[in-house]
Amino acid sequence: MLPNIQQVIEHLNIDIDLFWEKLESSDYKKQLSHIDKIIICQSLLGDSRQEIASKLNLSEQNIRDRLSKYIYPKIAAALQLEQENIAGNWVLILNCLLDPNNIYKLNPAPQLNNDNFQGSFGRQVFLYPPHQEIVKLQISGTKFYQQGLYYQAAKCFIWSWKQEREIYQIGNPEILIYINNSLLEYKQALLKSRNIKIYTVAVVVPFHHNQGHIAAEILRGIAQIQLQVNLPIFDKLSLDQEINLDDIKPEIFFNLNQTNSPIALKILIVNDPNNLYNPYNQTAETLATLASKLNLIAVVGHYSSEMTEKALQFYSQQGLVLVNSSSTSNQLSHISPGESLSFFRLTTQDNINALGLASYLQATFAVKGVKKVAIIYNQNSSYSRSYKKSFQSELSKYPEQFLFLAECGYISENYYQIQSYLENLAANDVDIIIVIPDGGLEPNSLDNAGLISRLNLNQCLIAGSATFYQENILYWLHERQQYNLINPDKCQIIACIPWHWQSHENGCHSDNNISQQFCQIGTQLWGEENLTWRSATAFDSVLIIMRILERYPIEDSHSLLVHSNQYFKEQRQQVQGVTGIIAFHANGDRIQPPTEIVGVQWNAQQQKWQWNLIVHRCS
């Protein structure tokens, strides 16, 4: 088979032999010559008439004559199109051949978008910036990706990446992922010839929660580790001779690979509606069904504990590993043994988080008399209930220090209902308010948390769970600062989270080399303060998958599940990650997961509010 015909099969996934048969059987009886077939192939691959003429040592007029007299009539007849519509319009011809419902499409790609499922390798964008020129570039990239024109897609995505960084001083992680995916598709045949295997991982994020901020935080960690894995591969392929990789390559770079067996990572981004009231998780069910067609080896997600619990049954039934970077509910520690084989949780469960927060409060108020404590949470959220129960249990150990007032379980309701509760707390001189928003299941929850954080209830301390750690809190405080409605020296807002970039043990300036490298590269891509715990645990989620891929001959999702369980749960091996040492119990919970106490503080030099580390580790 000629190289150009082979390229059409490998790069465009078109059944070219079937296309020849259809062309030969058309009403236009003139048979295609060998030269005609080469012209068709090169045109489908994007060459101009001038380029084809040069390669075939023919005149451009000769190429034009062959197209108009023999090739276009046959294609028009075969595809049942008007010749005047397809003449010179190879994009239209290509779209017809690449249509998933067309008989010429080899291994038609699964449809990733319907009423119950949204997924993208690069065919659509979820995080559009408020800049029309950048949006146009991103849309062009998605259209090229849909057509299988991956070089053009990569170029458009890179241009939009550069412009977004120049204008907003921060990269778009979703676009960086699509750049990597496009380059892998563009060089798929070459990667295969060099025995470099591409592994596909799905990451499920809630784009509709908090205007996409949570999704962006998670995707920063995913995009960063994908870039660190793939850039050395791109260097091996000398891809920088065709694509300016300096546009995406950080000046300070570290190779994560610990073996001589290079791998490449392709990422499927999936939107999770995060709907608490769905009878089951349709996103997870569809993704699990598509897993074999998409060659998925693992899933990273979901964000909320409720969605993770619903999703796990579908992944375990398909033998898929689910690595979770953000769900903390204690209920996930008690899943069935069969489901636990698929489950690996990177973040810190509620009972340990609650212990950390309670320990900090006990130490802080050790000699200051009895303090009145109120709790505001979402009674509809299993996560919020789980955290509240764990915290009450821990703080109840110090009855001589803390007195619980009436609790409020309707943080997700109308704010005026909460306001009456807060007024009652103010009348009772509350000292500490514990705020436990849900994971974006009900939109009012986070909004009300922000309103609570802006209150000044007799200088009380406001303490929150990891879901309370949001940029929104800083924005709301900044708004009040502008009107002199808050005293920066008296603001008392804290949260207990799994990781912070200032961490003494696992931060940017700690002895943890992986964390140092994560911060150095992440600072270049996103900015130091945009490296949140959600980015770090997402990075580590892919890192543990990568370490298994390096150690074992993984062929599919089932072999990854088998070796992950053997390595982590049976042999009790561990991996150094950004968030510290990563090891797992048999039920999928992390052994000795980290906790950090952070607080909102005013930076007078930069004139802004920040989440800063207060104590380096709780026990």
Side-chain angles (χ1 to χ4, degrees):
M1 185 177 292
L2 292 173
N4 48 14
I5 296 178
Q6 186 65 32
Q7 282 182 294
V8 169
I9 295 172
E10 292 184 354
H11 290 190
L12 302 180
N13 206 18
I14 291 173
D15 188 342
I16 199 67
D17 288 329
L18 181 60
F19 189 47
W20 299 148
E21 290 178 16
K22 190 70 173 178
L23 293 179
E24 298 294 5
S25 64
S26 68
D27 293 337
Y28 195 85
K29 298 302 182 183
K30 169 69 177 177
Q31 296 296 302
L32 287 176
S33 69
H34 176 69
I35 296 296
D36 294 332
K37 291 181 179 180
I38 293 177
I39 292 172
I40 292 173
C41 289
Q42 294 303 135
S43 298
L44 289 172
L45 292 167
D47 283 0
S48 66
R49 285 197 303 266
Q50 295 91 328
E51 291 171 325
I52 297 172
S54 175
K55 290 178 180 178
L56 295 177
N57 292 320
L58 296 173
S59 69
E60 189 178 340
Q61 183 62 48
N62 189 305
I63 301 296
R64 186 180 292 110
D65 290 343
R66 286 176 176 273
L67 285 166
S68 61
K69 293 179 180 180
Y70 311 128
I71 295 175
Y72 289 145
K74 278 189 167 292
I75 293 178
L79 299 181
Q80 296 183 327
L81 296 170
E82 294 296 329
Q83 184 174 336
E84 61 185 26
N85 292 332
I86 68 166
N89 193 348
W90 285 96
V91 171
L92 173 62
I93 296 170
L94 187 60
N95 281 340
C96 290
L97 295 176
L98 292 177
D99 188 318
N101 298 317
N102 204 310
I103 60 172
Y104 309 112
K105 180 70 174 170
L106 282 170
N107 305 313
Q111 292 300 293
L112 296 181
N113 293 284
N114 55 53
D115 291 340
N116 299 320
F117 187 81
Q118 287 181 301
S120 175
F121 286 110
R123 298 172 65 92
Q124 75 173 102
V125 173
F126 295 102
L127 293 174
Y128 283 118
H131 191 287
Q132 289 306 305
E133 292 305 313
I134 297 175
V135 170
K136 288 179 182 177
L137 283 172
Q138 293 176 352
I139 292 175
S140 294
T142 61
K143 289 181 177 178
F144 280 124
Y145 198 99
Q146 292 168 21
Q147 296 166 10
L149 303 175
Y150 301 114
Y151 171 82
Q152 295 94 318
K155 294 289 284 186
C156 288
F157 287 137
I158 289 173
W159 289 333
S160 73
W161 163 265
K162 287 179 63 179
Q163 285 196 26
E164 201 161 349
R165 292 197 70 191
E166 290 170 2
I167 295 172
Y168 301 106
Q169 287 76 56
I170 184 172
N172 183 333
E174 183 187 6
I175 297 303
L176 186 58
I177 288 171
Y178 295 156
I179 292 170
N180 275 268
N181 289 349
S182 298
L183 294 176
L184 291 176
E185 291 285 6
Y186 175 51
K187 290 297 181 182
Q188 187 179 53
L190 184 56
L191 288 165
K192 185 176 181 181
S193 69
R194 298 195 180 183
N195 295 318
I196 298 174
K197 188 157 185 177
I198 301 174
Y199 291 99
T200 303
V201 174
V203 54
V204 188
V205 291
F207 280 104
H208 302 310
H209 175 33
N210 197 13
Q211 294 80 51
H213 294 304
I214 296 298
E217 288 182 48
I218 296 169
L219 291 180
R220 284 177 197 137
I222 301 293
Q224 187 169 326
I225 191 168
Q226 184 192 26
L227 184 67
Q228 283 187 251
V229 171
N230 289 348
L231 269 181
I233 301 300
F234 297 154
D235 286 339
K236 286 179 181 293
L237 303 180
S238 300
L239 190 54
D240 55 353
Q241 295 177 10
E242 302 173 61
I243 302 282
N244 186 4
L245 294 178
D246 289 339
D247 292 331
I248 60 171
K249 184 183 296 183
E251 292 182 11
I252 302 173
F253 182 77
F254 303 93
N255 189 344
L256 286 172
N257 202 330
Q258 294 182 346
T259 71
N260 293 323
S261 302
I263 62 173
L265 286 179
K266 184 180 175 184
I267 303 295
L268 171 67
I269 298 176
V270 179
N271 178 41
D272 189 351
N274 222 28
N275 188 346
L276 175 64
Y277 301 105
N278 269 357
Y280 57 89
N281 195 315
Q282 292 176 312
T283 297
E285 182 183 37
T286 305
L287 183 58
T289 303
L290 291 173
S292 60
K293 295 180 181 178
L294 297 172
N295 296 316
L296 290 184
I297 59 161
V299 178
V300 174
H302 294 220
Y303 176 65
S304 69
S305 297
E306 291 82 1
M307 294 301 102
T308 298
E309 187 174 4
K310 290 181 178 181
L312 188 53
Q313 59 174 310
F314 298 111
Y315 301 134
S316 63
Q317 289 168 5
Q318 296 295 327
L320 270 171
V321 167
L322 176 65
V323 185
N324 184 270
S325 65
S326 56
S327 300
T328 63
S329 172
N330 293 333
Q331 288 183 217
L332 291 168
S333 300
H334 306 290
I335 55 178
S336 69
E339 290 183 349
S340 68
L341 291 171
S342 291
F343 191 54
F344 297 82
R345 171 158 53 171
L346 265 292
T347 194
T348 310
Q349 54 264 41
D350 289 340
N351 60 332
I352 297 177
N353 274 318
L355 171 61
L357 184 58
S359 298
Y360 172 78
L361 294 176
Q362 190 276 329
T364 300
F365 296 102
V367 292
K368 297 182 180 179
V370 177
K371 299 299 176 184
K372 298 176 182 178
V373 182
I375 299 179
I376 304 177
Y377 69 105
N378 183 359
Q379 60 192 355
N380 297 324
S381 163
S382 62
Y383 152 73
S384 197
R385 294 195 308 269
S386 167
Y387 197 103
K388 184 215 57 151
K389 183 178 179 180
S390 294
F391 179 79
Q392 284 180 318
S393 176
E394 292 299 333
L395 213 61
S396 295
K397 297 175 182 177
Y398 311 102
E400 71 286 354
Q401 287 183 249
F402 302 103
L403 173 66
F404 284 105
L405 300 177
E407 63 189 41
C408 170
Y410 41 87
I411 191 175
S412 62
E413 301 296 331
N414 189 298
Y415 179 70
Y416 292 108
Q417 295 179 264
I418 301 173
Q419 190 174 31
S420 61
Y421 173 79
L422 293 172
E423 289 171 355
N424 184 53
L425 295 182
N428 283 278
D429 295 322
V430 66
D431 298 296
I432 303 169
I433 299 179
I434 307 300
V435 185
I436 314 170
D438 57 60
L441 300 170
E442 297 182 317
N444 283 346
S445 182
L446 181 58
D447 291 338
N448 288 337
L451 293 170
I452 294 166
S453 73
R454 294 195 299 181
L455 298 178
N456 185 3
L457 296 173
N458 300 324
Q459 306 304 316
C460 76
L461 172 69
I462 298 175
S465 61
T467 52
F468 185 65
Y469 179 91
Q470 304 271 358
E471 288 293 306
N472 305 55
I473 304 299
L474 308 181
Y475 300 151
W476 287 316
L477 291 175
H478 179 72
E479 176 190 341
R480 292 178 65 79
Q481 176 75 11
Q482 289 180 312
Y483 298 101
N484 298 314
L485 297 175
I486 189 169
N487 185 339
D489 297 325
K490 296 183 179 179
C491 179
Q492 300 181 83
I493 297 177
I494 67 170
C496 184
I497 61 176
W499 180 87
H500 189 269
W501 62 272
Q502 294 172 332
S503 167
H504 294 198
E505 293 184 5
N506 298 308
C508 300
H509 305 294
S510 67
D511 292 331
N512 181 343
N513 289 332
I514 295 291
S515 187
Q516 288 179 26
Q517 295 170 8
F518 172 78
C519 290
Q520 288 176 356
I521 293 177
T523 297
Q524 297 172 80
L525 297 173
W526 331 111
E528 189 173 55
E529 291 179 22
N530 290 311
L531 296 173
T532 68
W533 70 264
R534 298 177 184 92
S535 302
T537 54
F539 183 101
D540 280 349
S541 295
V542 180
L543 181 66
I544 67 166
I545 295 171
M546 177 187 172
R547 294 298 181 231
I548 298 298
L549 296 177
E550 290 176 330
R551 285 178 169 85
Y552 301 100
I554 303 299
E555 295 298 327
D556 52 28
S557 60
H558 187 260
S559 59
L560 178 72
L561 184 148
V562 170
H563 289 296
S564 295
N565 275 276
Q566 289 177 344
Y567 186 78
F568 286 115
K569 296 177 181 178
E570 296 174 15
Q571 300 172 17
R572 294 301 180 97
Q573 299 293 326
Q574 59 188 29
V575 167
Q576 178 68 58
V578 173
T579 57
I581 298 297
I582 302 171
F584 294 96
H585 294 290
N587 67 351
D589 279 346
R590 183 170 174 177
I591 297 173
Q592 295 183 337
T595 53
E596 307 280 356
I597 299 293
V598 295
V600 175
Q601 297 174 347
W602 174 252
N603 186 321
Q605 183 177 1
Q606 298 182 26
Q607 289 292 294
K608 66 179 183 179
W609 294 94
Q610 295 175 319
W611 285 103
N612 288 329
L613 185 74
I614 295 180
V615 294
H616 64 279
R617 188 171 175 85
C618 312
S619 59

